[in-house]
Amino acid sequence: MNDVVSLAMRTVQEIFEALGGTGAVAKVIGVKHSAASEMRRRQSIPVKYWPALMERALQERIAIDSDVLVRVHVAAAEEGRAA
């Protein structure tokens, strides 16, 4: 099956979960677990890591693209959760 899984992600937390958790995200973006954990806690992933996340999502057939990443970060900022 070649379908992309669309999970209608609304938070950074959901992005982390879809990609396999904090450890998996840390490996994908090439940072220590503690750095990824802090991103998850802050609900904010620096833009420089987005291409790696989108590439992994494409490989895993998960619908995470720049539109999703922008949407979840804007929502977090509007709620005062973004750093």
Side-chain angles (χ1 to χ4, degrees), residues 33-67:
H33 189 279
S34 59
S37 181
E38 184 62 15
M39 290 175 205
R40 189 173 189 166
R41 185 193 67 74
R42 287 190 337 254
Q43 292 290 297
S44 180
I45 304 167
V47 173
K48 69 181 182 179
Y49 300 119
W50 292 10
L53 293 175
M54 291 185 295
E55 179 63 28
R56 177 51 60 95
L58 181 63
Q59 293 169 357
E60 300 292 326
R61 302 200 180 287
I62 301 168
I64 299 172
D65 59 16
S66 58
D67 290 340

